[in-house]
Amino acid sequence: MEILKVDNLTKIYGKEEAEVVALDHVSFSVEKGEFVAIVGASGSGKSTLLHLIGGVDRPTSGKVYIDGKDIFQFNDDNLAIFRRRQVGLIYQFYNLIPILNVEENITLPLSLDNRKVDPNTIDEMLKLLGLINRRNHLPSELSGGQQQRTSIGRALITNPTIILADEPTRKFGLEV
Amino acid sequence: MKLLNKLTIKNLKLNKKRTIVTIIGIMLSVALITAVAAMYSSGVASLISFEIKEKGNFHVAFFDVPTTDIWKLKNNRDIEEIHLTKNIGYAKLENSKNEYKPYALVKAFTKDSLDNLAIKLVEGRLPENSNEILIPTHLKTNGRITLNVGEKITLDVGTRVNSEGNELSQLDGYVPSDYTSVISDADTNEILYEESGNKSNEQIINTKSMTYEIVGIIERPSSNVENYSAPGYTFVTYLDENNLTGKLDVYTRYTKTAVKNDLKTTANILGVDENDYSRYRDVANPLPEEEFERIDKEVKKSGYTVNENSYLIGLETHPIKSSGVGGLGVTVVIVCIIIVVTSIFCIKNSFDISITEKIKQYGMLRSIGATKRQIKRNVLYEASILGLFGIPLGILSGIFAAYILVIITRQLLTANLTTGMVLEFSVSWIAIAIAVVLGLITIYLSAIRGARKAAKISPIESIRNSGSIKIKAKKIRSPKIINKIFGIGGEISFKNLKRNKKKYRSTVISIVVSVSIFIALYSFMSLAFLTVDEELNMTDYKLMLSIDDKDLYEKAIETTKLDGIKNYTVFRTSSLNIKNVRYNKEYTDKVHVSEDTNDKLHNQVAALGEEQYKKYVKSLGLNYEDVKDKAIIYDKLKITVHDTEKDEVINYQIREFDYKKGDTFDVEFSDKKTASLKVGGIAEELPFGMKNSRYNSLIILSDELFDKFTKTDRLIIYYDTDNASKVQDDIDEMLKDTSYYLENVEENAQMVNNLYVLVGIFLYGFIIVISLIGITNIFNTITTNMELRKQEFAMLKSVGMTKKEFNRMIRLESVFMGVKALVFGIPIGTLLSYLLYYTLASEGIKYPFPILAITISIIAVFLLITCIMKYSMGKINKQNTIETIRNENI
């Protein structure tokens, strides 16, 4: 079953002199359960593509279907809700909230959705990520790898339909 | 608690300093509003208090109410309290020297009425039974009847009726004799108005002989108790509340709700239709005669006469609209608007900063699925927490500040003893509620824009961290000179300011606003004080006594012998017409004189009192014996001519007439007496006390000559002394119990001076608080911007910028910002100050260029910016470079 379909996606940044065509009519699809890696030279538009698929940015033209739904038909609010439930985003730079501890950072998406947090689920997640002893630490007290794992935990906690990771291993080699 | 809210609180705690500064900003703004509201409510309360003390504590008075109706009024739900009086009757006073006031009206007051109807005891005590009586002071000063406390007086008290047998009241004046009164035009002698009347034909019947003991003396009662033309002096005795008979006067106070619709309430009491009565009492829209008659009949059916205390009702129900206070109310509203607008501006900036700092966070939250509404609500949540602390603190400090201000005002205005109004401190709950509401509105409006902006932050913006920098297509060049003087650090600063215009815009505007208002206010105050100086220099006398009663002349003149008086003039003046006047050609060239007549009409003629006349004559180099039967002319007048050609205003001093010593001229005095006067001398100077007469010619005669041809009722004495207040006290003592007017010029000027000081305190206090609010804003802006650029600074250091260069860079930013702000602020402020001068200054005062204010502004601005930047720089310099760079990646 097709879980993701990208159709003629185009993204152009800037105007006139400073204009950059980041994506030029990109199309492809991904099946459920598939693991896809997108590789390319730096500056080739990988992050841009990821952001568009994640609904974090809007394209200049083209469509993205996740689980059959045309995500850019949604208004901003519905897109946000969709995103928090269906998509897990892991970034190049971890984008953790510096004043929340590990546990709080991980449960952030659930909290936004006003969903109750099941303590067992959290414990399991923390064990899986090897962060069980660090649950109350702030990001500035963690190593780069631990921060990235927190970020991954945040992406996974809602059991999303699709997980997008933007060069997640860049920073910390083989730990993962 | 929701994680999002927890986040907000953590953020606030983390940025303690900024949080506190923002709370202080809110607190100041609310405090200012509260203080203004409290001062206003204090002012209104004081006016009401004063009015009640002076005129009586009642809203509507009903006269001639039968005793049987009293219980109805007492139990009326709309009436809060009633004060009863009863007219016992009139008695003829044989010795009254006032023809229009030949009676005593004996009026009985209950104990409660004595306390509530502005009965002010001057001597003795209040009556406790119906055999004791109080007499008013004006019985002696006006009627010339002297009675003392302890004496017994017997009066034949009865009912005063006219020839038809109808009872008369204090509203029916007494006419002592037939009269004809004519008012005619001063120039043409045309008769404008003629009135004639007959002597009152009335008598007092059913008299009963009553003997009273005088137990006290009261001030002349308020006009609500005894109107000015009342024919009877009010004598106050005691009314036993348990023993009421006959008809009473009921002074009522309506309840709070009833007084809001006082006309309707009154209509109900009278048993008249509400709408009819409202229209009947509407002075602005008079009814057609028939309607008026009809309603009037209805009103009269009740049998009561109604007297409304409209001023008090107005004060208590619509203080803002009420006359006299109206202007003040409008001012208060305007001031509040200024405060709210300025505060919104400053506090909004604090929120903007807090949001800018959290762009990354908000973007990230959006990227993991927070809705716009959640972000918006989050910002408002932050606002409400700040408000939770700021508003109550603001209200408390505002009340405290108002209390202090009331005390200061009271101190400064004690010189104003004549009115006896004391400023009392009063805070109405409505005022506080309004302050709270305004505070909430301020915070909400400040936060809402930021909230919307935060919600709009697209996740991508935060990821890319490009948000606040404007991408301009062209490169930003910095002038080479900047690089030359300030080095690479300077170049970076300059570019930073150019690209981040928005961030610093509000800082610059805050400073501009504060500086311009400060300069304008400073000019206003200096202008005000200049005016006071002017006033004090307008007269050469320190005290002025004015007497209209011929019988007091002798006593008045005796006052000139008091200790401490350096010089005096006993001034009497009248007017005369100079027949076939000879003007000075130079004068008529510049000033238009009437072509209807060959005479000069209404020229002032004066006598100075023997002693001053001799002094004056001597000072002019003339011989007393020579001139005592001649006229001395002072006609060197100050005139102002507007030269339309050159468009300028020129002052001249030109002689009005063409007479010289030895000339003769004919005059006609005000009562048609004519004379031929010889000119004894032309004066170069005016006599003492007449300094402000340089605009009108004066003919000075010896007292003897003056009395020969004319007369006047008014005697004026000008005094020069070094100890004005002592002399004033002495004169008061000498002339007590008589009717006179004494003015202390110094005291007046002092009072005006105090008033200006007070205004100054308010204005400067106001501007200082507004500036403080602005400073909190500036502090936030600068410190946050510094923090946001932590990474940038750390990077600069890591590539090798020295501390010195770094500091120079920072200093440059402050210079640029300060200069920009002053470049706008100073001209605007100067312009405002010139506008003030143009509209308010009287002639002769030059524009005081506010150089001092400008200098202060410049110093203050740079001091402020430098301090704040130094503070932030200190923090930055302490940071570890690597950690900063590393931490930015979170």
Side-chain angles (χ1 to χ4, degrees):
Chain A
M1 191 189 112
E2 218 177 53
I3 197 79
L4 168 69
K5 178 168 151 100
V6 174
D7 185 16
N8 274 309
L9 210 52
T10 306
K11 180 74 184 179
I12 301 176
Y13 290 110
K15 289 189 221 176
E16 298 168 30
E17 295 179 352
E19 199 177 271
V20 172
V21 180
L23 293 177
D24 195 359
H25 295 90
V26 173
S27 303
F28 65 91
S29 60
V30 175
E31 297 291 316
K32 186 168 177 180
E34 260 195 82
F35 179 94
V36 177
I38 300 177
V39 295
S42 81
S44 57
K46 301 190 295 296
S47 297
T48 309
L49 180 60
L50 226 56
H51 290 146
L52 288 172
I53 295 175
V56 167
D57 196 4
R58 284 185 185 264
T60 313
S61 67
K63 295 198 197 292
V64 170
Y65 299 88
I66 295 183
D67 210 3
K69 304 190 188 73
D70 177 359
I71 67 172
F72 294 123
Q73 286 288 67
F74 293 156
N75 63 26
D76 281 344
D77 271 359
N78 289 334
L79 191 53
I81 296 172
F82 172 80
R83 199 160 51 246
R84 71 159 84 112
R85 293 177 186 164
Q86 310 282 37
V87 178
L89 275 164
I90 307 170
Y91 285 109
Q92 242 173 4
F93 299 113
Y94 333 111
N95 286 347
L96 298 175
I97 301 217
I99 57 177
L100 296 179
N101 64 26
V102 168
E103 181 169 339
E104 286 164 343
N105 264 297
I106 291 179
T107 55
L108 202 48
L110 292 177
S111 183
L112 284 172
D113 220 16
N114 284 324
R115 274 172 28 192
K116 260 224 144 124
V117 176
D118 178 15
N120 289 329
T121 321
I122 306 214
D123 285 351
E124 264 187 51
M125 178 70 75
L126 287 169
K127 274 200 210 115
L128 182 67
L129 297 169
L131 291 170
I132 196 83
N133 293 326
R134 288 270 191 272
R135 66 196 297 167
N136 289 320
H137 286 167
L138 294 176
S140 53
E141 296 164 329
L142 304 172
S143 73
Q146 287 162 333
Q147 288 175 26
Q148 187 58 299
R149 276 178 275 153
T150 311
S151 189
I152 292 174
R154 186 179 71 198
L156 296 178
I157 195 76
T158 55
N159 255 322
T161 313
I162 191 170
I163 298 179
L164 304 166
D166 189 355
E167 302 205 54
T169 57
R170 158 173 287 221
K171 278 277 160 134
F172 54 89
L174 306 169
E175 278 174 45
V176 174
Chain B
M1 190 202 296
K2 286 200 209 146
L3 202 51
L4 216 52
N5 292 340
K6 206 172 176 185
L7 183 61
T8 308
I9 295 183
K10 277 206 175 157
N11 259 322
L12 288 175
K13 276 201 190 143
L14 195 70
N15 290 303
K16 256 206 183 86
K17 284 222 172 64
R18 205 198 33 249
T19 307
I20 290 178
V21 169
T22 311
I23 291 181
I24 290 180
I26 296 176
M27 182 181 112
L28 285 172
S29 156
V30 172
L32 205 52
I33 298 176
T34 310
V36 168
M39 290 304 295
Y40 177 71
S41 63
S42 295
V44 172
S46 308
L47 279 169
I48 292 178
S49 240
F50 182 67
E51 185 67 14
I52 288 179
K53 206 175 69 157
E54 292 292 300
K55 299 276 175 64
N57 187 9
F58 73 99
H59 292 135
V60 179
F62 299 94
F63 301 135
D64 299 326
V65 175
T67 314
T68 42
D69 285 356
I70 300 295
W71 71 270
K72 253 199 275 177
L73 291 172
K74 250 200 181 136
N75 293 325
N76 190 319
R77 261 183 321 164
D78 290 330
I79 296 180
E80 201 174 64
E81 47 184 81
I82 62 173
H83 313 296
L84 302 169
T85 67
K86 183 179 156 87
N87 288 346
I88 305 294
Y90 281 94
K92 189 118 180 37
L93 292 172
E94 293 302 336
N95 299 321
S96 170
K97 292 286 186 297
N98 183 341
E99 301 176 294
Y100 295 88
K101 274 178 153 50
Y103 304 123
L105 170 68
V106 181
K107 204 168 164 111
F109 287 62
T110 60
K111 184 168 188 318
D112 155 78
S113 301
L114 287 169
D115 292 333
N116 277 292
L117 292 178
I119 298 294
K120 288 185 249 169
L121 210 55
V122 170
E123 199 187 314
R125 61 167 173 84
L126 295 173
E128 280 156 15
N129 59 58
S130 53
N131 294 321
E132 296 179 342
I133 205 163
L134 302 172
I135 54 172
T137 48
H138 69 309
L139 184 64
K140 187 175 186 183
T141 58
N142 185 290
R144 295 301 158 70
I145 298 177
T146 306
L147 292 167
N148 296 309
V149 173
E151 283 181 29
K152 280 204 161 51
I153 177 174
T154 304
L155 298 167
D156 292 324
V157 182
T159 314
R160 177 174 159 238
V161 295
N162 64 11
S163 48
E164 280 110 55
N166 296 326
E167 192 172 345
L168 299 171
S169 73
Q170 290 280 63
L171 296 170
D172 303 304
Y174 180 76
V175 182
S177 55
D178 293 348
Y179 71 93
T180 308
S181 159
V182 172
I183 298 179
S184 56
D185 185 296
D187 292 320
T188 64
N189 284 328
E190 179 194 329
I191 293 181
L192 298 169
Y193 174 73
E194 193 168 334
E195 187 193 354
S196 59
N198 294 321
K199 174 178 170 161
S200 290
N201 190 357
E202 55 182 65
Q203 50 176 323
I204 300 182
I205 59 174
N206 301 332
T207 60
K208 190 167 153 201
S209 183
M210 316 267 289
T211 303
Y212 297 102
E213 182 189 347
I214 300 173
V215 295
I217 304 181
I218 54 170
E219 266 184 36
R220 180 178 186 152
S222 84
S223 51
N224 283 323
V225 170
E226 179 185 312
N227 62 68
Y228 288 119
S229 51
Y233 294 98
T234 310
F235 282 36
V236 172
T237 183
Y238 184 76
L239 179 63
D240 185 1
E241 204 158 339
N242 301 318
N243 198 4
L244 300 170
T245 56
K247 289 211 175 144
L248 300 164
D249 294 339
V250 186
Y251 293 80
T252 66
R253 252 194 87 84
Y254 290 171
T255 59
K256 262 209 176 92
T257 32
V259 76
K260 285 204 171 85
N261 291 311
D262 65 290
L263 289 176
K264 291 210 172 111
T265 313
T266 311
N268 285 331
I269 294 173
L270 293 172
V272 174
D273 175 66
E274 285 176 5
N275 288 323
D276 277 350
Y277 191 71
S278 302
R279 291 186 303 138
Y280 170 74
R281 298 291 291 142
D282 186 354
V283 215
N285 299 311
L287 293 170
E289 216 176 302
E290 298 147 8
E291 263 297 278
F292 187 84
E293 293 288 320
R294 177 183 74 84
I295 304 179
D296 193 52
K297 239 198 203 157
E298 284 294 311
V299 169
K300 292 216 160 71
K301 268 203 201 144
S302 65
Y304 310 158
T305 313
V306 180
N307 179 20
E308 284 152 12
N309 193 356
S310 323
Y311 186 56
L312 185 62
I313 294 176
L315 275 182
E316 289 192 15
T317 53
H318 306 115
I320 295 187
K321 278 196 255 161
S322 189
S323 63
V325 207
L328 192 64
V330 171
T331 312
V332 166
V333 171
I334 292 180
V335 166
C336 277
I337 292 179
I338 295 179
I339 296 173
V340 169
V341 166
T342 322
S343 308
I344 289 181
F345 181 75
C346 293
I347 296 174
K348 172 172 90 67
N349 201 57
S350 294
F351 282 112
D352 280 354
I353 293 167
S354 141
I355 288 163
T356 310
E357 209 185 44
K358 293 196 282 217
I359 282 184
K360 263 211 156 115
Q361 270 184 35
Y362 286 132
M364 192 277 283
L365 285 168
R366 292 272 283 136
S367 79
I368 64 168
T371 58
K372 277 187 185 166
R373 214 155 132 234
Q374 280 175 313
I375 303 280
K376 205 157 120 184
R377 248 190 273 164
N378 190 254
V379 175
L380 292 176
Y381 180 73
E382 181 178 333
S384 49
I385 292 187
L386 292 173
L388 195 65
F389 284 96
I391 293 183
L393 281 175
I395 298 208
L396 286 173
S397 38
I399 293 179
F400 180 68
Y403 181 69
I404 302 282
L405 281 173
V406 165
I407 293 182
I408 294 179
T409 310
R410 229 185 279 164
Q411 289 289 67
L412 282 173
L413 290 185
T414 12
N416 197 2
L417 290 167
T418 41
T419 61
M421 181 171 108
V422 171
L423 188 62
E424 53 182 63
F425 179 69
S426 155
V427 181
S428 75
W429 298 116
I430 300 181
I432 295 189
I434 293 181
V436 170
V437 167
L438 283 178
L440 287 171
I441 292 178
T442 306
I443 298 177
Y444 181 75
L445 287 177
S446 308
I448 192 66
R449 243 199 51 162
R452 288 209 190 111
K453 221 176 68 170
K456 280 216 198 95
I457 293 175
S458 77
I460 207 78
E461 247 181 79
S462 73
I463 298 171
R464 292 182 175 276
N465 199 19
S466 61
S468 47
I469 298 181
K470 252 188 178 351
I471 307 291
K472 285 203 183 120
K474 45 185 184 142
K475 212 173 119 163
I476 295 231
R477 306 203 82 96
S478 68
K480 283 229 172 71
I481 192 166
I482 305 252
N483 201 328
K484 276 227 173 75
I485 305 177
F486 299 104
I488 183 70
E491 209 177 312
I492 297 181
S493 303
F494 189 79
K495 288 196 178 171
N496 183 50
L497 277 173
K498 280 242 148 179
R499 282 204 195 275
N500 277 339
K501 269 207 185 123
K502 247 189 159 176
K503 265 196 200 150
Y504 290 106
R505 188 190 298 164
S506 72
T507 309
V508 170
I509 294 183
S510 276
I511 299 179
V512 167
V513 165
S514 293
V515 166
S516 20
I517 295 186
F518 174 68
I519 295 179
L521 278 183
Y522 182 83
S523 287
F524 176 73
M525 289 312 301
S526 0
L527 210 62
F529 283 112
L530 267 177
T531 325
V532 177
D533 268 342
E534 277 277 320
E535 279 222 13
L536 200 48
N537 287 329
M538 285 265 296
T539 67
D540 49 353
Y541 59 87
K542 298 282 178 358
L543 294 168
M544 180 188 97
L545 175 68
S546 173
I547 303 233
D548 290 332
D549 187 345
K550 281 222 176 68
D551 293 337
L552 288 172
Y553 280 11
E554 240 182 82
K555 212 173 193 174
I557 294 177
E558 262 183 55
T559 63
T560 59
K561 303 205 175 58
L562 284 168
D563 270 339
I565 295 178
K566 292 187 341 194
N567 197 0
Y568 68 90
T569 300
V570 178
F571 186 75
R572 286 178 301 150
T573 178
S574 173
S575 78
L576 50 71
N577 301 337
I578 303 176
K579 304 229 134 243
N580 297 313
V581 61
R582 275 184 7 222
Y583 285 113
N584 177 2
K585 181 158 190 317
E586 217 188 314
Y587 180 80
T588 46
D589 278 347
K590 297 195 165 41
V591 177
H592 172 78
V593 288
S594 170
E595 267 139 45
D596 298 336
T597 167
N598 288 328
D599 305 340
K600 179 173 181 209
L601 303 175
H602 306 307
N603 196 83
Q604 202 185 15
V605 59
L608 311 175
E610 274 304 292
E611 195 166 317
Q612 183 62 238
Y613 182 74
K614 285 187 182 144
K615 253 194 213 169
Y616 184 58
V617 159
K618 192 163 172 206
S619 74
L620 295 178
L622 301 168
N623 185 312
Y624 171 71
E625 290 299 325
D626 271 345
V627 301
K628 70 177 181 186
D629 56 348
K630 302 194 178 73
I632 297 176
I633 302 180
Y634 175 87
D635 64 345
K636 200 159 150 196
L637 303 185
K638 254 188 176 177
I639 41 174
T640 311
V641 176
H642 183 215
D643 187 333
T644 39
E645 273 182 25
K646 297 192 207 157
D647 192 35
E648 56 181 26
V649 167
I650 317 176
N651 292 319
Y652 295 97
Q653 262 202 304
I654 309 181
R655 282 201 56 200
E656 185 181 356
F657 304 121
D658 190 32
Y659 298 115
K660 53 189 192 303
K661 189 168 171 182
D663 283 350
T664 314
F665 58 98
D666 295 324
V667 301
E668 181 185 324
F669 289 91
S670 48
D671 41 10
K672 311 284 191 218
K673 281 213 181 95
T674 57
S676 205
L677 295 174
K678 210 163 184 187
V679 177
I682 305 290
E684 291 290 306
E685 289 295 322
L686 282 164
F688 170 71
M690 300 296 305
K691 199 165 153 192
N692 52 356
S693 248
R694 292 208 187 116
Y695 306 100
N696 290 302
S697 294
L698 183 63
I699 294 178
I700 300 150
L701 306 174
S702 66
D703 278 31
E704 209 182 304
L705 205 57
F706 185 86
D707 288 329
K708 189 167 165 198
F709 292 118
T710 184
K711 66 176 184 348
T712 174
D713 284 331
R714 171 166 293 177
L715 183 78
I716 297 179
I717 304 184
Y718 298 110
Y719 305 84
D720 184 18
T721 166
D722 286 335
N723 193 348
S725 40
K726 171 143 195 329
V727 174
Q728 181 179 16
D729 288 340
D730 288 341
I731 296 177
D732 281 333
E733 179 65 31
M734 273 186 83
L735 295 178
K736 81 173 173 184
D737 293 340
T738 65
S739 171
Y740 66 93
Y741 173 70
L742 183 59
E743 183 185 309
N744 184 336
V745 171
E746 222 170 57
E747 206 176 78
N748 286 352
Q750 182 62 31
M751 221 167 63
V752 173
N753 196 59
N754 280 354
L755 195 64
Y756 283 136
V757 168
L758 196 63
V759 170
I761 291 180
F762 278 105
L763 286 180
Y764 278 126
F766 180 74
I767 182 71
I768 286 177
V769 176
I770 294 262
S771 296
L772 281 177
I773 299 179
I775 289 177
T776 65
N777 170 35
I778 296 170
F779 179 83
N780 275 345
T781 312
I782 296 182
T783 47
T784 311
N785 286 339
M786 292 279 110
E787 273 213 34
L788 280 178
R789 291 158 60 206
K790 260 194 313 205
Q791 177 197 24
E792 193 184 312
F793 296 145
M795 190 277 294
L796 283 171
K797 286 220 196 119
S798 76
V799 298
M801 185 183 243
T802 66
K803 206 166 181 183
K804 199 160 146 218
E805 280 169 352
F806 185 69
N807 288 343
R808 212 192 322 171
M809 178 178 88
I810 300 298
R811 220 173 296 138
L812 184 67
E813 269 190 41
S814 51
V815 166
F816 281 152
M817 223 188 346
V819 166
K820 188 168 179 188
L822 288 170
V823 156
F824 283 105
I826 292 180
I828 293 180
T830 313
L831 186 68
L832 283 175
S833 92
Y834 186 73
L835 279 174
L836 278 172
Y837 161 77
Y838 187 73
T839 38
L840 297 177
S842 45
E843 292 216 19
I845 302 187
K846 276 174 75 171
Y847 172 62
F849 190 75
I851 197 80
L852 187 62
I854 293 178
T855 318
I856 295 179
S857 309
I858 296 179
I859 297 177
V861 165
F862 280 118
L863 214 61
L864 177 70
I865 296 183
T866 317
C867 282
I868 296 181
M869 287 218 158
K870 259 217 169 83
Y871 167 79
S872 322
M873 257 154 63
K875 283 182 78 184
I876 292 171
N877 279 329
K878 281 206 216 114
Q879 283 165 357
N880 185 307
T881 314
I882 294 298
E883 254 182 48
T884 313
I885 295 184
R886 213 177 75 102
N887 270 340
E888 259 313 301
N889 290 333
I890 294 176

